[in-house]
């Protein structure tokens, strides 16, 4: 009996060690996958605050909560099962799906730049939107934000899955779930803070302390610049991430001329003393962004100009 108990305890200890190792494996895999998806996360956090703007302060956090819930549904009801099915039955499809998503990111960023250059960005509200009630407008904006989140979350999932391809299916599922939860919490926690920053500033501006009032006024005045900066960062992130995905896809298909050129540029820039890693990364990111801008510009031309020419004829 004592020997049987000892054997049982030994088995329990072994299982506990295996479970701990699995947790460590999932944590490490999730960490690496999340880092590789960081560029899209930056874009997600930069894009989302715009969907809560223009509503009463009391509705801002409920709107963010609705979008966050929709994001979790996107990740756990659609993208996670889809990613695992692709990994199990069609791993060859991952690279073309990634490249298609990368091209979409390049298109989105290039279209934003085109609208700014052409003077179409931030124009008057269309009459059909003016006719909507606040409830209908809120529903429309939440739906639009959740659809945008689906695209960005799909890209995050695909990038993460590409880094997990050699792992067991159970580890892939657990790591993708961890990445999805952490990224959703981080993105929408940051978004909630951003959209309420002006309210925090107004509250501080009413305090008795002179330093608190000064900080509050600074926050209120800084918010337009912060939102503008986030929009710029989001556009740049879409270009460098989308372009980088396309370049990596070319390398996967052994079309190495462009990937080799960009890699050589990164190595050359990385030779700067002390700041080599930073300059190397900046050179690679800038080159990837140029690729993204070229591809995105071509897609914008196809989507906007060719249909107009056909309509004119």
């Amino acid at each position: 009996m004592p020997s049987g108990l000892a054997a049982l305890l030994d088995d329990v200890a072994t299982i506990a060690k295996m479970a701990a190792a699995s947790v460590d494996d999932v944590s490490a895999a999730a960490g690496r996958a999340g880092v590789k998806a960081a560029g899209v996360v930056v874009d997600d956090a930069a894009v989302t605050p715009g969907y809560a703007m223009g509503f009463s302060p009391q509705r801002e956090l409920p709107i963010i909560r609705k979008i966050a819930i929709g994001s979790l549904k996107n990740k756990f009801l659609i993208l996670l099962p889809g990613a695992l099915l692709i990994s199990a039955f069609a791993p060859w499809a991952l690279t073309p799906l990634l490249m298609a998503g990368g091209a979409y990111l390049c298109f989105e960023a290039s279209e934003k730049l085109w609208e700014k250059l052409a003077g179409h960005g931030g124009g008057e509200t269309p009459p059909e939107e003016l006719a909507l009630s606040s409830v209908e407008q809120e529903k429309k904006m939440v739906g639009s934000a959740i659809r945008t989140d689906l695209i960005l979350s799909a890209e995050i999932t695909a990038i993460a899955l590409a880094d997990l391809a050699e792992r067991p299916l159970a580890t892939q599922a657990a790591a993708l779930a961890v990445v999805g939860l952490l990224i959703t919490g981080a993105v929408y926690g940051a978004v909630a803070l951003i959209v309420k920053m002006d309210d925090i500033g107004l509250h501080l501006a009413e305090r008795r302390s002179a330093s608190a009032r000064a900080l509050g006024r600074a926050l209120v005045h800084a918010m337009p610049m912060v939102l503008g900066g986030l929009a710029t960062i989001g556009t740049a992130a879409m270009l460098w991430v989308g372009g980088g995905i396309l370049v990596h896809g070319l390398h996967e298909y052994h079309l190495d001329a462009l990937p080799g050129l960009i890699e050589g540029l990164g190595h050359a820039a990385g030779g700067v003393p002390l700041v080599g890693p930073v300059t190397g990364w900046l050179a690679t990111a800038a080159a990837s962004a140029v690729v993204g801008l070229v591809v995105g510009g071509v897609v914008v031309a196809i989507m906007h100009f060719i249909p107009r020419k056909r309509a004119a004829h």
Side-chain angles (χ1 to χ4, degrees):
M1 186 70 178
S3 61
L5 179 60
L8 176 61
L9 291 175
D10 186 55
D11 288 343
V12 170
T14 301
I15 292 172
K17 288 178 181 178
M18 291 175 62
S22 297
V23 170
D24 289 341
D25 192 33
V26 168
S27 299
R32 282 192 293 272
V35 167
K36 291 202 171 182
V40 188
V41 174
V42 169
D43 178 55
D44 204 357
V47 167
T48 307
Y51 290 102
M53 296 301 171
F55 294 94
S56 65
Q58 293 79 10
R59 295 304 307 157
E60 289 174 344
L61 290 183
I63 288 171
I64 297 301
R65 183 170 62 249
K66 288 180 181 180
I67 299 172
I69 292 171
S71 176
L72 288 173
K73 289 179 179 178
N74 285 341
K75 291 179 176 72
F76 285 91
L77 299 183
I78 301 173
L79 298 174
L80 180 56
L84 295 177
L85 286 172
I86 290 173
S87 181
F89 299 108
W92 54 267
L94 185 57
T95 296
L97 286 173
L98 269 171
M99 294 183 74
Y104 179 82
L105 289 176
C106 297
F107 162 70
E108 282 276 289
S110 299
E111 188 173 47
K112 288 180 182 179
L113 291 174
W114 166 250
E115 287 176 352
K116 286 184 179 179
L117 291 173
H120 298 310
E124 293 183 1
T125 304
E128 62 270 18
E129 290 193 11
L130 289 172
L132 295 175
S133 69
S134 60
V135 174
E136 291 170 328
Q137 181 68 10
E138 179 177 318
K139 185 177 180 180
K140 180 176 181 292
M141 293 299 287
V142 169
S144 178
I146 291 173
R147 286 192 295 273
T148 300
D149 175 89
L150 179 62
I151 299 295
L152 295 172
S153 293
E155 200 64 16
I156 290 168
T157 302
I159 292 170
L161 184 62
D163 196 57
L164 299 167
E166 304 302 322
R167 304 282 181 145
L169 199 62
T171 301
Q172 291 181 24
L176 288 174
V178 170
V179 169
L181 282 172
L182 291 179
I183 284 178
T184 302
V187 166
Y188 291 100
V191 168
L193 182 61
I194 290 167
V195 300
K196 299 307 291 183
M197 193 66 72
D198 52 352
D199 292 337
I200 295 172
L202 289 172
H203 177 72
L204 289 173
E206 295 173 354
R207 302 290 293 272
R208 292 184 177 180
S209 168
S211 58
R213 291 199 302 272
L215 177 59
R217 288 192 295 269
L219 286 175
V220 171
H221 290 306
M223 280 312 298
M225 291 183 288
V226 170
L227 292 173
L230 281 174
T232 301
I233 291 170
T235 302
M238 280 194 283
L239 286 174
W240 108 60
V241 172
I245 290 169
L246 294 173
V247 170
H248 181 73
L250 292 175
H251 175 70
E252 288 292 314
Y253 287 119
H254 306 292
L255 302 172
D256 290 327
L258 184 59
L261 179 65
I262 292 175
E263 184 179 2
L265 180 64
H267 282 310
V272 179
L274 299 178
V275 294
V278 176
T279 54
W281 180 85
L282 286 174
T284 302
S288 297
V290 171
V291 172
L293 185 60
V294 171
V295 172
V298 170
V299 179
V300 168
I302 292 171
M303 295 293 291
H304 288 272
F305 297 115
I306 292 179
R308 288 181 185 176
K309 287 184 178 179
R310 286 179 179 173
H313 291 298

